[in-house]
């Protein structure tokens, strides 16, 4: 029995140590970092990508690849609840890998996901970075590419996502990312920074939307 214990304990320690491994990255803002309007996010674009026309982030139309930035008001724990293998499977998504990550002072997760697109008729893969910015502020960056482009796109998209820099002192302007104006001077509604990408919510006096 004593011999069995001596063999078992080192194995258990190895598994426990590995399960708490964390990827730690330090980034700084460089001239190559591009500000994502309406957010506190700066990101480097992969070679061949351009600023997206219809969402925050970058796109590469010839390959069908994109990087989407979403800074939202919502607790990190609530948002990440749905990013488990069991929760994603009914939505047609397969969780390939998940690792704990810390970028500068922000804790989070980096996920690798595979999903079939009925509209395209083929599989996409994506890297999803989720960071806790504050108790009620969460950042999500999705880098997506057709599986057929994996050898060309995977590493450059992952590198772009992990280049993220958060300028915490930057005051959020929810109207910065939209190309129209909203007149609220005579309305009982007020804007609320609960936007997903370029979406915007308006709250009434009783918190109705």
């Amino acid at each position: 029995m004593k011999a069995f214990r001596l063999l078992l304990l080192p194995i258990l320690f190895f598994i426990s140590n590995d399960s708490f491994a964390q990827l730690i990255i330090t980034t700084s803002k460089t001239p190559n970092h591009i500000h994502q309007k309406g957010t506190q996010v700066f990101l480097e674009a992969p070679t061949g990508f351009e600023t997206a026309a219809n969402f925050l982030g970058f796109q590469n139309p010839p390959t069908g690849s994109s990087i989407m930035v979403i800074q939202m008001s919502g607790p990190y724990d609530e948002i990440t609840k749905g990013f488990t293998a069991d929760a994603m499977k009914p939505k047609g998504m397969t969780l390939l890998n998940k690792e704990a990550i810390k970028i500068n002072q922000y804790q989070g997760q980096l996920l690798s996901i595979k999903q079939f697109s009925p509209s395209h008729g083929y599989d996409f893969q994506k890297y999803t970075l989720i960071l806790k910015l504050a108790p009620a502020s969460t950042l999500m960056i999705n880098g997506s590419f057709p599986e057929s482009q994996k050898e060309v796109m995977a590493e450059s998209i992952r590198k772009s996502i992990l280049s993220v820099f958060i300028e915490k002192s930057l005051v959020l302007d929810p109207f910065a990312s939209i190309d129209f104006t909203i007149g609220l001077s005579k309305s009982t509604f007020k804007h609320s920074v609960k936007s997903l990408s370029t979406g915007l919510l308006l709250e009434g006096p009783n918190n109705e939307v």
Side-chain angles (χ1 to χ4, degrees):
M1 181 62 71
K2 290 182 179 179
F4 175 75
R5 286 180 180 173
L6 289 173
L7 289 172
L8 180 60
L9 287 175
I11 294 173
L12 290 177
F13 174 78
F14 174 77
I15 293 173
S16 176
N17 187 54
D18 185 65
S19 65
F20 286 97
Q22 184 182 47
L23 179 61
I24 299 176
I25 296 174
T26 300
T27 65
S28 56
K29 189 170 70 172
T30 72
N32 294 325
H33 277 75
I34 300 172
H35 180 224
Q36 304 303 304
K37 293 181 180 179
T39 76
Q40 298 168 315
V41 177
F42 290 78
L43 204 63
E44 290 186 348
T47 301
F49 279 68
E50 60 191 34
T51 299
N54 299 314
F55 56 87
L56 293 180
F58 309 115
Q59 61 184 11
N60 185 317
T63 64
S65 305
S66 63
I67 297 174
M68 181 180 289
V69 176
I70 308 169
Q71 185 173 345
M72 66 190 85
S73 294
Y76 171 85
D77 291 341
E78 287 297 316
I79 290 170
T80 54
K81 269 183 183 178
F83 287 90
T84 65
D86 290 341
M88 295 166 68
K89 191 173 181 179
K91 301 175 183 177
M93 293 186 282
T94 301
L95 181 60
L96 302 176
N97 187 51
K98 179 194 286 189
E99 57 186 320
I101 191 169
K102 183 180 181 183
I103 299 182
N104 297 329
Q105 71 265 40
Y106 303 106
Q107 301 282 353
Q109 300 176 10
L110 178 64
L111 302 94
S112 179
I113 300 166
K114 181 177 179 179
Q115 182 176 19
F116 178 75
S117 170
S119 60
H120 291 89
Y122 48 79
D123 288 320
F124 275 80
Q125 286 197 23
K126 66 173 71 175
Y127 287 112
T128 298
L129 174 67
I130 311 173
L131 294 178
K132 180 179 180 180
L133 303 186
S137 180
T138 303
L139 172 66
M140 184 183 300
I141 305 178
N142 282 311
S144 178
F145 51 91
E147 190 173 38
S148 61
Q149 297 290 327
K150 181 179 178 179
E151 295 299 320
V152 178
M153 287 293 159
E155 187 56 34
S156 62
I157 286 179
R158 185 177 188 274
K159 183 178 178 181
S160 171
I161 290 173
L162 297 182
S163 75
V164 63
F165 179 80
I166 311 299
E167 191 165 305
K168 197 64 179 175
S169 61
L170 196 64
V171 178
L172 283 174
D173 178 5
F175 295 100
S177 61
I178 58 177
D179 56 3
F180 56 87
T181 58
I182 302 175
L184 298 175
S185 59
K186 297 181 180 180
S187 173
T188 57
F189 284 73
K190 60 183 180 179
H191 74 264
S192 173
V193 185
K194 293 181 179 178
S195 58
L196 297 181
S197 188
T198 54
L200 182 68
L201 294 183
L202 298 178
E203 288 186 347
N206 298 315
N207 294 323
E208 69 272 22
V209 296

